[in-house]
Amino acid sequence: MTNVNPFSLGWIQRHYRLIVLLTAGSLAVMPGAVITPVLPQIVQQLALSKTLAGYLVSAHYLTVALCSPVLGILADRLGRTRVLIGSLLAFSIAGIAGAWTTSFLPMLTTRALLGAATGGIAAASLGLLAQMYPDEQARSRAIAYASTALTLANIVYPLMSGWTGAQNWRSAFYLYGLGVPLALLALLFLREGKVAPRAAKAAQQKNLAQVLLRQPQVLRLLLTLGITAATAFAAVIYLPLHLTTTLGTSTIDNALVLASQAIGAALSSALVVSRLHRRFGIVAAIPLGLGLLALAAVLIPQAQAYSLFIPLAFLFGAGLGIAVPSHYAALATLAPLELQSSILAIATGTNFLGQFLSPTLYGVVIQQSGVVSVFYAAAIVALIMGGFWVLMSRSKSDIPVK
């Protein structure tokens, strides 16, 4: 980027916008991050089975996956800031409403609505982020920062939930109210140009169908993004079970390992991804991230001492922190400016759909061969996808990004 005066009004305004967007985007992980620490209290007070409790945790993944593409298209047609503000307000209302429920079905309904609002937040914030940084390298850095913010939020929000909900689980649900002040900040700082006229909107919708149907690169990226999300999520959710079974670890021990995975993802997203994109290209970074993920997945079952799981989880997170932002950066590069919200929203929906289906897909592996086999299966899948993108990065007809 060119030299910028860090004390200029434009610089300050630009960074205010970025901070607002990153904070708003980080709410995408809050639905699960808030309820998980207080879930045992909810199960006890509402007398729920483990199966029903699982639905409360995973319900929002499905509605995010279903609503993100729809709200992304709506953001391109009505305005990304409008959709973001509306989604932030709906997020707070649906989230706080969960604190007032007294049985399973009403709470499940609030969780589903919360996921729908989350889809709008993710779609609009990613679209605005891509719009703010039309330059390819700057956009790659911005998307990497967004991934870092999400990863750090996965550490901070559960801690906030555990602290606020220590005495009463209902108190933790008021954390969803963060969407209200963020909606106000978005109204003050996030401005867009004029919304396209009706004829242009129709053309956009037609162009979106053409992008999806006539650009195989987009479909490849969406497919491997969904598979990556399912694979990584399976390895992460079954890692504490593996630790407890093999080493008899405590909840705190498991949390430290998961935190090291999150830190690895955050650091690689913030410090490594943009450098890899500049040096090797966006597409070439995808197999590198998947390779690191596969290496860690293979080594995790071999580890016999707890101290080894910390660096292995960090390595796993680092691979994930390279692969996922690279998918988003490639999609943002391929998408026309007027369709970036739509394409990135579809990517977000695909990501969450992969996470939602992960226990079903990899549950078959567990039933047949046990928990350890999940890590080997994850490694095999990651290597296959990595090899695919190695071939694609060498193809002259592939994504024209450097």
Side-chain angles (χ1 to χ4, degrees):
M1 297 179 63
T2 57
N3 293 330
V4 178
N5 179 5
F7 300 103
S8 68
L9 179 60
W11 185 93
I12 294 173
Q13 290 175 336
R14 183 177 182 179
H15 282 73
Y16 268 127
R17 295 181 68 197
L18 179 61
I19 291 170
V20 171
L21 274 178
L22 293 181
T23 307
S26 74
L27 297 188
V29 304
M30 186 180 265
V34 165
I35 195 174
T36 302
V38 297
L39 188 62
Q41 298 179 37
I42 297 175
V43 169
Q44 183 178 11
Q45 187 168 343
L46 301 186
L48 302 179
S49 66
K50 291 183 179 179
T51 301
L52 293 181
Y55 285 128
L56 290 181
V57 175
S58 62
H60 73 279
Y61 288 119
L62 180 60
T63 50
V64 171
L66 294 176
C67 294
S68 290
V70 176
L71 291 171
I73 295 172
L74 197 64
D76 282 333
R77 301 189 67 176
L78 300 181
R80 293 154 188 168
T81 303
R82 290 181 180 180
V83 171
L84 178 61
I85 293 172
S87 298
L88 286 169
L89 295 175
F91 179 90
S92 292
I93 294 171
I96 294 175
W100 295 86
T101 57
T102 57
S103 59
F104 172 73
L105 286 178
M107 181 174 286
L108 183 66
T109 301
T110 65
R111 302 298 299 173
L113 293 174
L114 184 65
T118 302
I121 293 172
S125 60
L126 278 173
L128 284 168
L129 197 66
Q131 185 183 47
M132 281 175 58
Y133 297 94
D135 176 72
E136 182 184 310
Q137 292 185 8
R139 183 172 58 241
S140 293
R141 283 197 300 272
I143 291 176
Y145 292 153
S147 180
T148 302
L150 289 174
T151 305
L152 293 176
N154 264 320
I155 301 174
V156 174
Y157 289 150
L159 293 175
M160 294 172 62
S161 174
W163 179 67
T164 57
Q167 300 299 322
N168 189 329
W169 63 265
R170 298 181 188 276
S171 300
F173 279 61
Y174 288 96
L175 291 172
Y176 294 121
L178 182 60
V180 173
L182 284 173
L184 178 60
L185 291 174
L187 180 64
L188 293 175
F189 295 111
L190 302 181
R191 303 299 177 101
E192 284 185 278
K194 295 182 178 180
V195 178
R198 182 173 300 179
K201 293 174 183 177
Q204 286 179 13
Q205 189 171 3
K206 181 179 178 180
N207 290 338
L208 176 61
Q210 292 177 347
V211 169
L212 293 175
L213 296 176
R214 298 183 182 180
Q215 290 199 34
Q217 304 97 322
V218 173
L219 296 179
R220 293 169 190 161
L221 285 162
L222 292 173
L223 177 62
T224 57
L225 176 61
I227 296 174
T228 299
T231 301
F233 193 65
V236 169
I237 61 177
Y238 292 119
L239 182 55
L241 180 60
H242 174 65
L243 286 168
T244 302
T245 302
T246 57
L247 300 178
T249 53
S250 67
T251 303
I252 296 177
D253 294 330
N254 295 341
L256 289 174
V257 173
L258 293 178
S260 66
Q261 180 266 332
I263 292 171
L267 291 178
S268 64
S269 296
L271 304 177
V272 178
V273 169
S274 61
R275 291 186 174 93
L276 290 176
H277 291 175
R278 287 197 302 269
R279 182 163 184 177
F280 301 108
I282 296 176
V283 176
I286 295 176
L288 176 59
L290 291 171
L292 293 177
L293 189 151
L295 176 61
V298 168
L299 294 177
I300 284 174
Q302 312 301 322
Q304 300 297 319
Y306 175 78
S307 59
L308 295 176
F309 283 94
I310 299 294
L312 288 176
F314 183 92
L315 181 64
F316 186 94
L320 189 62
I322 294 172
V324 172
S326 296
H327 276 85
Y328 278 99
L331 286 167
T333 301
L334 284 170
L337 181 61
E338 67 275 9
L339 294 175
Q340 284 179 339
S341 285
S342 300
I343 297 296
L344 293 177
I346 293 172
T348 300
T350 303
N351 192 335
F352 277 93
L353 182 62
Q355 295 181 52
F356 177 77
L357 295 176
S358 178
T360 301
L361 298 175
Y362 283 90
V364 177
V365 177
I366 291 180
Q367 292 176 358
Q368 297 296 324
S369 306
V371 174
V372 170
S373 299
V374 171
F375 298 99
Y376 293 126
I380 292 172
V381 171
L383 287 175
I384 291 174
M385 290 191 298
F388 171 79
W389 280 115
V390 167
L391 295 176
M392 289 297 100
S393 65
R394 293 179 178 178
S395 173
K396 294 182 180 180
S397 63
D398 195 53
I399 303 172
V401 289
K402 297 281 186 178

